[in-house]
């Protein structure tokens, strides 16, 4: 009896946890198709709020800013994060303290990192704007890309690098023709993760964006909208962001397990 009770209890706990996590999300998705203007009362099925969402100039402007920040910060974070991962892996026996410093942004609360970046920019008298948000997101995403690429490097056979050097290949050639192709799935996975985190990130962008609408990102726009009450447009916007994040993270996990799709 005990052996039968334990699996049932575990299943009940698991079901309760998943219900706690996903029932509110399911309600939000359902209400994004609500015909009525009230975001909490179902009056019929409609997709009109998605149309209203794309006709909202403020949201579209914030979405464009978010894409700019996410794309630029992802490219920079992926480039520097990959090189950093290779350098740290090569020097892993020479400095554990270096790893602690690199991965600190993953451990430090976002609010602390945001205040630190704000203080740093203020100390340098840097005018806040979209460029400071991009730099802040690069700092934030760098550790995540580095950790993903380093996970791939754990199984990398460094003897092929030595063989390449013995055959007369330069460091750049070895990196371009041997190391990068092997690390490509992890690099893409790290880039997708960085892009998703950048799209969803709010606290750091809020502290480093400065004044004016020209640097408002999508999470900041959502925050400004919900201060005056939740509308069906916000439900539709949250549904689209969530769907995009789930797809990007799933693809990132798929790539990080090894190999590009179809390989």
């Amino acid at each position: 009896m005990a052996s039968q009770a334990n699996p049932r209890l575990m299943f009940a706990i698991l079901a309760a946890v998943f219900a706690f996590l996903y029932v509110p999300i399911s309600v939000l998705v359902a209400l994004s198709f609500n015909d009525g203007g009230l975001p909490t009362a179902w009056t019929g099925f409609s997709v009109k709020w998605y149309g209203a969402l794309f006709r909202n100039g403020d949201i579209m402007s914030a979405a464009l800013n978010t894409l700019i920040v996410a794309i630029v910060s992802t490219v920079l974070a992926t480039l520097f994060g990959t090189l950093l991962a290779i350098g740290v892996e090569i020097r892993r026996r020479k400095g554990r303290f270096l790893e602690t410093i690199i991965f600190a942004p993953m451990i430090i609360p976002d609010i602390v990192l945001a205040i630190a970046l704000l203080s740093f920019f203020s100390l340098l008298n840097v005018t806040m704007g979209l460029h400071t948000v991009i730099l802040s997101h690069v700092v934030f995403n760098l550790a995540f890309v580095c950790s993903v690429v380093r996970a791939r490097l754990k199984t990398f056979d460094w003897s092929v690098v030595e063989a390449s050097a013995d055959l007369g290949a330069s460091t750049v050639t070895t990196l371009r023709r041997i190391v990068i192709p092997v690390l490509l799935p992890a690099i893409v996975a790290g880039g997708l993760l960085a892009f998703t985190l950048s799209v969803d990130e709010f606290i750091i962008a809020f502290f480093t964006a400065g004044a004016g609408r020209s640097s408002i990102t999508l999470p900041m726009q959502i925050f400004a909208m919900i201060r005056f009450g939740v509308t069906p447009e916000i439900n539709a916007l949250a549904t689209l962001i969530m769907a995009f994040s789930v797809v990007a993270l799933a693809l990132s996990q798929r790539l990080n397990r090894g190999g590009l799709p179809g390989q």
Side-chain angles (χ1 to χ4, degrees):
M1 293 294 294
S3 61
Q4 295 179 355
N6 288 336
R8 290 176 181 175
L9 178 61
M10 293 300 297
F11 178 79
I13 294 174
L14 185 63
V17 171
F18 274 98
F20 179 77
L21 291 174
Y22 293 108
V23 167
I25 296 177
S26 301
V27 171
L28 181 146
V29 173
L31 289 176
S32 71
F33 297 99
N34 185 19
D35 182 63
L38 295 175
T40 56
W42 181 263
T43 58
F45 181 86
S46 176
V47 295
K48 68 178 183 180
W49 297 112
Y50 287 88
L53 174 66
F54 288 106
R55 290 192 297 270
N56 190 313
D58 291 340
I59 292 178
M60 291 296 100
S61 175
L64 178 61
N65 288 340
T66 298
L67 283 177
I68 293 173
V69 170
I71 291 173
V72 177
S73 65
T74 296
V75 171
L76 294 176
T78 302
L79 174 62
F80 294 130
T82 300
L83 296 176
L84 185 62
I86 295 173
V88 171
E89 185 65 22
I90 292 174
R91 295 176 57 87
R92 64 186 183 279
R93 293 188 181 90
K94 299 182 180 180
R96 290 290 180 182
F97 182 69
L98 178 62
E99 295 188 41
T100 304
I101 296 177
I102 292 170
F103 297 120
M106 297 176 63
I107 304 171
I108 297 174
D110 287 359
I111 184 68
V112 176
L113 183 60
I115 294 173
L117 288 167
L118 174 62
S119 301
F120 177 74
F121 291 134
S122 299
L123 183 64
L124 297 179
N125 292 321
V126 176
T127 303
M128 301 292 181
L130 213 58
H131 58 287
T132 52
V133 178
I134 291 173
L135 292 175
S136 301
H137 279 202
V138 171
V139 173
F140 175 69
N141 288 326
L142 198 63
F144 290 95
V145 175
C146 183
S147 64
V148 172
V149 176
R150 281 206 68 198
R152 185 78 170 183
L153 282 169
K154 295 297 183 182
T155 59
F156 183 74
D157 185 6
W158 289 98
S159 63
V160 296
V161 175
E162 298 174 359
S164 176
D166 291 339
L167 292 172
S170 65
T171 302
V172 175
T173 301
T174 301
L175 186 66
R176 180 173 58 87
R177 304 196 63 176
I178 297 177
V179 179
I180 297 300
V182 173
L183 297 180
L184 187 59
I187 294 172
V188 176
L192 286 172
L193 178 60
F195 187 84
T196 303
L197 292 173
S198 184
V199 168
D200 294 341
E201 204 285 319
F202 166 73
I203 296 178
I204 295 175
F206 183 79
F207 273 76
T208 59
R213 291 205 53 85
S214 61
S215 57
I216 290 180
T217 61
L218 205 51
M220 295 169 63
Q221 178 66 30
I222 295 174
F223 175 74
M225 292 172 66
I226 62 175
R227 291 169 60 189
F228 303 100
V230 179
T231 66
E233 284 180 285
I234 295 179
N235 288 338
L237 180 58
T239 299
L240 292 176
I241 293 176
M242 182 190 63
F244 171 81
S245 299
V246 169
V247 171
L249 284 174
L251 184 57
S252 173
Q253 291 295 319
R254 167 69 179 87
L255 291 171
N256 201 32
R257 279 199 296 266
L260 291 167
Q263 286 187 343

